[in-house]
Amino acid sequence: MNTKTLALATIMTAALSAPTMAADWFIGGGVGAQQNTYKGSVTQNVDPGFNAENFKETENNVLYELRAGAYLNDNNRVYGTYSYNSDDATRQQSLLVSYDYLVGLDANNKFNWFIGATAGMNHVSPDAAEYSSKNRFVWGGQTGLMYNINDNVSTEIGYRYLKQDFEASGSYGEPTPMGTGFTEQASLNDSQQLYLSVDYRF
């Protein structure tokens, strides 16, 4: 079983196994910060083994998200999220499906800790014109704290990790004995998100 199938199966199994009552639907939005980790190499075509230079960079920028879903009961929720993030290397738009298990931290369940899994599709648009946009599968998990302000409004702070699967490469210049041509390879390895959101439950 590959990673994509396993991630989706985990979320579906958790959601379907939760005992359900009448679902409470919710919509919301959030803002936060996203850190993207890029890895790659630049290799001169004349002598790939000798001239390879590896690099690793991180980019930190603003994250925006909109989401909607349902509380299956006091301890289980499922939801979909659209998020947008842009940095100096890429623009990312994600459609994610998530499941969370909630644990009440007080007698009235106003304060909750949650932990869960996420999987979905990420559309990556590199800023460099030489690279094309691609849709890639992403998966990961999240945890955080949620506070119910009243029966309809809640707020939460959360951390999400997403494993990415984006790679791109390109060759530049003319390969000559002087080594003027080179090949660049880059990959988006993972993303980490820290967000604050507000939801309306109805």
Side-chain angles (χ1 to χ4, degrees):
M1 181 180 292
N2 60 33
T3 301
K4 299 178 183 180
T5 305
L6 180 61
L8 291 173
T10 300
I11 295 173
M12 292 179 63
T13 300
L16 293 175
S17 63
T20 59
M21 300 180 294
D24 288 341
W25 298 93
F26 71 92
I27 57 173
V31 64
Q34 178 166 318
Q35 181 182 86
N36 301 311
T37 301
Y38 298 94
K39 295 181 179 180
S41 64
V42 179
T43 307
Q44 292 204 10
N45 296 333
V46 64
D47 190 349
F50 180 77
N51 293 294
E53 295 182 5
N54 298 317
F55 66 87
K56 179 180 179 180
E57 297 179 357
T58 57
E59 294 278 350
N60 299 283
N61 282 278
V62 179
L63 165 76
Y64 303 98
E65 65 176 37
L66 297 172
R67 61 187 194 170
Y71 286 87
L72 306 179
N73 53 42
D74 289 341
N75 300 109
N76 298 272
R77 68 177 180 181
V78 292
Y79 54 98
T81 303
Y82 165 81
S83 67
Y84 176 85
N85 169 255
S86 177
D87 59 32
D88 291 339
T90 62
R91 296 186 308 279
Q92 299 180 53
Q93 299 181 75
S94 301
L95 289 175
L96 307 172
V97 177
S98 303
Y99 163 81
D100 286 337
Y101 182 78
L102 295 89
V103 178
L105 299 179
D106 63 350
N108 298 319
N109 284 338
K110 291 183 70 67
F111 199 51
N112 294 267
W113 170 63
F114 65 87
I115 187 169
T118 290
M121 192 66 63
N122 191 29
H123 182 75
V124 183
S125 301
D127 285 349
E130 295 83 2
Y131 301 145
S132 59
S133 300
K134 296 180 180 180
N135 293 317
R136 286 293 183 263
F137 180 79
V138 295
W139 60 276
Q142 64 279 340
T143 187
L145 296 171
M146 181 184 71
Y147 179 72
N148 293 312
I149 299 173
N150 54 42
D151 290 340
N152 299 107
V153 180
S154 64
T155 185
E156 68 183 54
I157 183 169
Y159 166 82
R160 178 182 293 117
Y161 175 86
L162 292 174
K163 180 63 178 176
Q164 300 270 12
D165 184 27
F166 176 80
E167 296 182 348
S169 63
S171 296
Y172 308 90
E174 295 295 331
T176 69
M178 298 301 294
T180 57
F182 65 93
T183 299
E184 184 179 47
Q185 295 180 319
S187 64
L188 174 55
N189 188 56
D190 59 43
S191 296
Q192 300 182 70
Q193 302 172 344
L194 183 65
Y195 64 89
L196 177 67
S197 66
V198 176
D199 294 328
Y200 180 80
R201 190 168 173 172
F202 55 92

